[in-house]
Amino acid sequence: MSEENSDEVKMLEAQIERLQAEVEVLKLQQQENHKDLTLHFPGHMRDALAHLCGQRAAGGQEEVLSKLREEIQELEADLELQTQMNGISLSRCLVKTLQSGRKLVQKLCLSGHCSELVFQVEFKLSEMKVGQSCERRLSELNVVLDSPDLRSFSSFLSRVEESGDLLLFFRTLRTFSDRCDDRARTFRHFQPSEAAGFSK
């Protein structure tokens, strides 16, 4: 083997070693991400995710699936109850993890409607473990509301986005939606009926 080929072989071997080291680092990151993923879910969901991520060998697949089904049914029942209580129906929820480790940062996008008002809310949720408790902080709130008459509501939306008060938005959305429905009913009541128009 010539000296030129020998140098090329050494270079390729060094590159293979670097790639193998990089693969090991990525495997460790994946394991950490799986740990982080399971830490942020309560009860059966956490146990099932831990099992699926290979962190726990106890319990069979049937038990894990059973626990997941039970957890999903509980969550669906809670969501249905919330929808009945507050009139706000969520149609889509997207969660994207931006950063994990000691500090979990997620970007959330919620879409739904309250009566005829269609909304979309985007925000970042930061969760940091402080001692035994978790501290959560909401930031970068952006609210999009699809309604023909938002002149009186736009200044309120701006204040909500500045303050990051998501709870205030949802409380007020229900009230605003009810007022829009009342207004529409009032306008319909005072509009001349089609039957009266035909009789003239």
Side-chain angles (χ1 to χ4, degrees):
M1 183 169 16
S2 70
E3 189 174 313
E4 187 178 297
N5 287 341
S6 175
D7 290 341
E8 189 175 330
V9 168
K10 287 179 184 177
M11 187 177 71
L12 290 173
E13 286 175 346
Q15 189 174 5
I16 288 171
E17 286 178 17
R18 280 195 308 272
L19 289 173
Q20 287 173 337
E22 189 176 331
V23 166
E24 289 302 315
V25 168
L26 290 173
K27 282 182 182 178
L28 289 173
Q29 281 180 343
Q30 183 181 21
Q31 289 173 353
E32 284 298 314
N33 288 343
H34 285 221
K35 284 180 190 174
D36 290 341
L37 178 70
T38 59
L39 290 177
H40 300 287
F41 286 96
H44 298 306
M45 188 76 76
R46 181 185 59 235
D47 295 341
L49 286 171
H51 179 78
L52 292 173
C53 293
Q55 294 179 10
R56 182 185 296 169
Q61 184 176 0
E62 296 82 23
E63 183 182 343
V64 170
L65 290 175
S66 171
K67 287 180 179 181
L68 277 176
R69 282 189 197 104
E70 183 180 316
E71 187 79 18
I72 289 171
Q73 288 171 350
E74 288 175 15
L75 291 171
E76 286 175 343
D78 287 347
L79 181 61
E80 187 175 329
L81 179 63
Q82 285 293 324
T83 300
Q84 289 173 358
M85 286 173 41
N86 61 28
I88 296 172
S89 178
L90 296 177
S91 57
R92 187 177 70 144
C93 176
L94 298 175
V95 180
K96 181 179 180 183
T97 302
L98 303 176
Q99 180 182 348
S100 62
R102 273 186 51 85
K103 183 177 182 181
L104 177 70
V105 179
Q106 295 177 317
K107 184 170 184 173
L108 287 93
C109 179
L110 304 173
S111 300
H113 63 88
C114 183
S115 187
E116 299 297 319
L117 294 175
V118 178
F119 66 88
Q120 180 174 324
V121 179
E122 293 180 0
F123 58 93
K124 282 187 181 176
L125 184 64
S126 305
E127 185 175 304
M128 188 167 181
K129 193 160 185 154
V130 180
Q132 295 296 327
S133 63
C134 280
E135 185 178 298
R136 290 186 177 148
R137 199 170 137 259
L138 188 136
S139 62
E140 297 181 29
L141 178 61
N142 182 31
V143 179
V144 178
L145 196 60
D146 185 20
S147 174
D149 184 27
L150 287 178
R151 288 185 301 273
S152 58
F153 206 57
S154 61
S155 62
F156 169 75
L157 289 177
S158 297
R159 285 196 316 270
V160 164
E161 288 177 343
E162 287 173 15
S163 67
D165 196 343
L166 195 56
L167 183 58
L168 177 63
F169 167 72
F170 282 117
R171 285 181 177 164
T172 308
L173 179 66
R174 173 65 188 265
T175 304
F176 184 72
S177 174
D178 289 345
R179 298 302 171 260
C180 287
D181 291 346
D182 292 344
R183 182 178 178 196
R185 274 194 300 277
T186 303
F187 283 143
R188 280 195 306 269
H189 177 75
F190 287 108
Q191 284 182 338
S193 67
E194 291 180 25
F198 287 122
S199 64
K200 290 182 180 179

